[in-house]
Amino acid sequence: MSVTYYRIKDLNLIGKMQDNIPYIYITEQGWAADTNNILMDRIMGYDETEPKGSPYAIGNSSIMELVEEISEDEAERFIKTNER
């Protein structure tokens, strides 16, 4: 099983990719499937302000900087700190 953890800087959230499936940690319920593409949009640099079909809608480095890869320990510390 492959798991990579991320800190979503602009939303102060933790996400993870587990076997190519994105999840977001939600305090009230734990890990939930990222059905709103919060994590993947940032990883891919998706700019929703670009017009449909624009070649600049993917790969926006400013958006990609909103997420950073972190360790499992860092993710667990963040979760414990924010659940109080």
Side-chain angles (χ1 to χ4, degrees):
M1 174 171 44
S2 170
V3 181
T4 305
Y5 293 89
Y6 297 91
R7 182 170 72 95
I8 302 168
K9 299 175 189 179
D10 61 318
L11 299 176
N12 202 32
L13 293 172
I14 295 295
K16 72 177 178 179
M17 288 288 291
Q18 183 173 332
D19 295 328
N20 296 316
I21 300 171
Y23 296 89
I24 299 294
Y25 189 84
I26 300 170
T27 302
E28 298 81 28
Q29 67 187 68
W31 290 108
D34 182 12
T35 57
N36 293 319
N37 298 315
I38 294 169
L39 179 58
M40 286 306 299
D41 282 358
R42 284 155 181 80
I43 290 172
M44 300 294 295
Y46 174 65
D47 186 351
E48 63 185 23
T49 65
E50 285 292 324
K52 187 175 181 171
S54 168
Y56 305 107
I58 300 292
N60 182 310
S61 60
S62 295
I63 292 174
M64 293 166 77
E65 290 176 1
L66 298 176
V67 65
E68 71 177 335
E69 190 173 322
I70 61 173
S71 69
E72 182 177 6
D73 288 340
E74 289 173 302
E76 289 175 3
R77 277 195 304 274
F78 181 92
I79 290 167
K80 286 178 185 177
T81 301
N82 288 298
E83 284 191 331
R84 294 182 184 158

